[in-house]
């Protein structure tokens, strides 16, 4: 089935921050070609007082300002009703490729970019909005996070990539990290490309890459390997590799 255009709705206090990075390279091309559409709203446009205020002091005291629920609420209600909305926040579940894949199956997403100390909690409760983190660190605003989320989604949409089959071998597929890549020249600074890659033997190359994936994952992200589905011969290799590592 041919995918329709993916609609990305972004609520931000800094609309000029979009599409910037996403207007370049493949994401930019996809935007021009209608693979996805970007709808950016300035939250400040929904402020009704003379000063166009969007934030206020936190009840209970403390440093920083909080984004007002009335202003943000109007911005949220301006979006189409069926758009699943997420708030970029360090408190959310860190984004994973499996979730990106399920986002990419949707036709739209709405992203709220916070600023200051964040948004009034009642907005999340009232609209049932989930929080989405891009990692365990704190950014100054949700806009960079929105770029990350959208970039990850859009590249999985039909029409984005010339060779969509290259997606099936990437990191996090089957909970494995990707194998190493090499290109010409065959010898660089006295370092040679692994011989098997020059052999032209497709089955052996496939096997070598799969084993390298396992080795790299075991070394860097053993947590992923715990949940990867490995075949019998892979398990044998894993045992051997673990033994070597223990020496
Ligand atoms: N006071 C908040 C806390 O400690 O959880 C941090 C607020 S941060 C300075 C301002 C905004 O940046 C947040 O409202 C959120 O939208 C965004 N942000 C910061 N870190 C993020 C992360 N790791 N993932 C996604 N968004 C983030």
């Amino acid at each position: 089935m041919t995918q329709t255009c993916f609609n990305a709705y972004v609520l931000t206090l800094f609309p000029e921050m979009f599409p910037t990075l996403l207007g370049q390279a493949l994401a930019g091309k996809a935007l021009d070609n209608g693979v996805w559409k970007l709808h950016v709203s300035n939250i400040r446009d929904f402020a009704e007082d003379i000063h166009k205020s969007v934030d206020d002091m936190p009840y209970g005291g403390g440093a920083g300002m909080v984004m007002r629920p009335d202003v943000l609420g109007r911005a949220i209600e301006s979006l189409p009703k069926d758009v699943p909305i997420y708030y970029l926040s360090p408190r959310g579940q860190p984004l994973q490729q499996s979730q990106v894949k399920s986002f990419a199956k949707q036709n739209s997403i709405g992203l709220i970019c916070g600023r200051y100390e964040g948004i009034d909690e009642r907005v999340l409760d009232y609209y049932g909005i989930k929080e989405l983190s891009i990692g365990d660190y704190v950014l100054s605003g949700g806009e960079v996070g929105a770029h990350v989320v959208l970039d990850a989604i859009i590249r999985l949409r039909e029409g984005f990539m010339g060779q969509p089959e290259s997606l099936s071998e990437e990191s996090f597929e089957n909970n494995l990290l990707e194998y190493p890549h090499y290109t010409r020249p065959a010898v660089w600074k006295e370092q040679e490309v692994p011989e098997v890659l020059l052999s032209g033997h497709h089955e052996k190359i496939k096997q070598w890459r799969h084993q390298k994936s396992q080795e790299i994952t075991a070394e860097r992200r053993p947590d992923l390997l715990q949940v990867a589905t490995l075949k019998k011969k892979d398990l044998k290799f894993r045992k051997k590799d673990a033994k070597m590592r223990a020496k």
Side-chain angles (χ1 to χ4, degrees):
M1 202 173 72
T2 323
Q3 283 187 327
T4 53
C5 170
F6 184 87
N7 285 288
Y9 296 86
V10 177
L11 301 181
T12 171
L13 286 169
F14 297 95
E16 64 281 9
M17 287 189 177
F18 294 88
T20 52
L21 299 177
L22 295 174
Q24 303 294 317
L26 285 178
K29 245 189 217 162
L31 191 57
D32 291 343
N33 295 340
V35 170
W36 69 293
K37 224 179 195 169
L38 182 61
H39 312 262
V40 183
S41 308
N42 188 344
I43 297 169
R44 200 173 293 283
D45 291 344
F46 298 87
E48 288 182 342
D49 67 343
I50 190 161
H51 303 293
K52 291 267 172 201
S53 355
V54 291
D55 58 320
D56 213 323
M57 289 182 298
Y59 278 118
M65 301 294 271
V66 177
M67 288 172 72
R68 289 173 49 150
D70 52 343
V71 179
L72 194 50
R74 282 190 287 275
I76 290 167
E77 285 167 20
S78 75
L79 301 182
K81 292 277 166 286
D82 57 342
V83 176
I85 302 173
Y86 292 83
Y87 166 50
L88 272 315
S89 155
R91 297 189 320 190
Q93 273 297 320
L95 185 69
Q96 294 200 336
Q97 189 65 10
S98 52
Q99 191 171 21
V100 170
K101 275 185 178 175
S102 77
F103 284 155
K105 287 188 185 129
Q106 301 172 178
N107 286 327
S108 62
I109 196 166
L111 298 172
I112 302 171
C113 304
R115 281 273 153 182
Y116 321 117
E117 285 310 312
I119 68 176
D120 189 302
E121 191 75 15
R122 290 169 293 179
V123 172
L124 302 173
D125 297 340
Y126 184 81
Y127 297 105
I129 291 172
K130 288 205 179 106
E131 295 172 72
L132 193 59
S133 166
I134 63 153
D136 291 344
Y137 38 78
V138 180
L139 303 166
S140 54
E143 289 76 10
V144 171
H147 276 79
V148 169
V149 174
L150 293 177
D151 185 275
I153 296 174
I154 290 153
R155 64 189 294 283
L156 298 184
R157 295 286 297 187
E158 199 179 299
F160 180 94
M161 244 181 230
Q163 283 177 296
E165 62 274 19
S166 65
L167 293 173
S168 67
E169 301 213 334
E170 288 192 313
S171 292
F172 306 112
E173 283 306 314
N174 188 23
N175 289 297
L176 292 174
L177 301 178
E178 202 183 43
Y179 50 80
H181 295 289
Y182 300 88
T183 186
R184 274 184 282 210
V187 182
W188 177 73
K189 292 197 188 283
E190 291 169 25
Q191 296 191 92
E192 288 176 14
V193 167
E195 216 178 302
V196 63
L197 299 180
L198 308 174
S199 69
H201 194 303
H202 297 302
E203 199 42 50
K204 277 194 181 148
I205 292 172
K206 200 171 152 194
Q207 202 182 345
W208 179 87
R209 284 179 166 164
H210 189 52
Q211 290 189 350
K212 280 284 164 201
S213 268
Q214 292 181 57
E215 277 173 31
I216 289 170
T217 313
E219 198 180 291
R220 301 179 192 176
R221 294 289 305 275
D223 56 310
L224 287 178
L225 213 50
Q226 301 279 322
V227 280
T229 29
L230 297 177
K231 293 189 187 128
K232 222 173 176 180
K233 70 170 186 220
D234 293 333
L235 291 170
K236 233 166 133 186
F237 171 75
R238 287 263 25 83
K239 253 189 187 164
K240 214 168 109 193
D241 186 49
K243 250 190 203 162
M244 297 255 294
R245 240 167 249 288
K247 274 186 192 163

